[in-house]
Amino acid sequence: MSRTTGYEPLNVPKPFGPDIWIVDGPHIRFYGLPFSTRMTLVRLPSGGLWVHSPIKPEERLLARVEELGPVAHLIAPNAIHYAYLGDWQARFPEARAWVAPGVRARAIAHKVELGPAEELSAGAGWEGVIDSYLVRGSKVLQEAVFFHAPSRTVVLTDFIENFEPGKLPWLFGRLVRLLGMTTPDGRMPPDMYATFDKAELRRSVEAILAWAPERAVLAHGAPYDARASARIRRVFRKLLDAS
């Protein structure tokens, strides 16, 4: 495994807009490949923190997070991004946990212990500043996507992956190039895309575009720090043009 992810410094909140930060974490192995990890923090009007896709906890990271505010909500946005949710629940037992459909079943299958959690439903929101949409149409994966209105940021997980091959081990970089999941815009992983009913997926893309996001956090690869709506439209242009 590479010792670096290319997104150093790790475990440090990095401002991404008003009251929103991204935190790049260490690699995690998925099917033997080293995927970089990324968590998103949003400070709500109440002062509490909304934590999306918690990364591996580390004491200095946890201290830095607590400096921003008390952890109020923990989000597992799909059935792949839940590995450290239980660890964060143990550290912040007062926080409410929210999981996408399929997370609980996958955690049980992989013998990962989670604490109490509420399943995310369509239209869930937080304090008038975060909206959500539950992407449906695939029997393999349902992902909850989110929009932080004050920063005009959409928070995605595996819906789009935008790898930078130069920051990856050679073989992994070659693979993502072949699959087209590379900068400047990336794409949905082809195996995931193939599982979707395309009419349902189109509705999801249109719902995301209706938010008119200016930025996008992506869990893997380079985030979109500008022109997010145009770039999402470009990623799904063939799907949208087929409507």
Side-chain angles (χ1 to χ4, degrees):
M1 180 186 298
S2 171
R3 292 181 179 273
T4 64
T5 69
Y7 297 102
E8 286 74 16
L10 304 183
N11 295 331
V12 176
K14 304 167 188 175
F16 199 69
D19 287 326
I20 182 169
W21 297 262
I22 59 174
V23 186
D24 291 299
H27 288 122
I28 190 170
R29 286 278 176 176
F30 185 67
Y31 290 113
L33 297 172
F35 280 74
S36 57
T37 56
R38 179 172 291 135
M39 174 173 72
T40 305
L41 307 173
V42 174
R43 185 159 50 209
L44 300 169
S46 64
L49 292 181
W50 180 92
V51 181
H52 175 274
S53 192
I55 61 175
K56 185 176 181 178
E58 182 262 353
E59 280 304 316
R60 283 181 297 177
L61 166 63
L62 296 171
R64 286 165 172 154
V65 169
E66 290 178 299
E67 288 174 1
L68 296 175
V71 173
H73 301 278
L74 298 166
I75 313 295
N78 67 31
I80 300 174
H81 287 249
Y82 68 91
Y84 301 113
L85 178 63
D87 297 323
W88 283 71
Q89 288 179 289
R91 176 61 179 258
F92 302 107
E94 70 284 358
R96 294 177 70 181
W98 307 80
V99 298
V103 167
R104 180 70 68 181
R106 187 175 176 90
I108 291 171
H110 287 264
K111 297 182 172 57
V112 175
E113 187 173 346
L114 301 181
E118 301 173 58
E119 186 166 294
L120 288 161
S121 58
W126 291 264
E127 298 188 20
V129 297
I130 299 178
D131 293 328
S132 70
Y133 186 89
L134 189 59
V135 177
R136 298 187 184 275
S138 169
K139 295 180 180 179
V140 174
L141 187 70
Q142 295 185 62
E143 178 170 313
V145 300
F146 306 90
F147 181 65
H148 180 236
S151 67
R152 309 300 303 169
T153 299
V154 63
V155 183
L156 308 176
T157 311
D158 296 309
F159 196 75
I160 297 174
E161 296 181 357
N162 190 35
F163 291 102
E164 298 174 271
K167 296 182 178 182
L168 299 173
W170 180 83
L171 184 59
F172 193 11
R174 183 173 176 82
L175 175 62
V176 296
R177 280 193 187 96
L178 289 172
L179 295 174
M181 301 180 340
T182 56
T183 54
D185 300 320
R187 65 169 295 185
M188 179 182 285
D191 56 339
M192 183 188 301
Y193 185 83
T195 69
F196 273 91
D197 174 86
K198 298 307 182 285
E200 286 285 350
L201 180 58
R202 188 182 306 118
R203 279 191 282 273
S204 296
V205 175
E206 290 170 344
I208 292 169
L209 291 173
W211 284 326
E214 296 173 3
R215 303 176 183 85
V217 179
L218 312 177
H220 305 297
Y224 300 162
D225 57 8
R227 301 180 293 105
S229 290
R231 296 172 76 175
I232 293 168
R233 187 175 297 278
R234 192 154 57 238
V235 168
F236 292 102
R237 59 190 178 278
K238 291 182 180 179
L239 179 73
L240 295 171
D241 290 345
S243 60

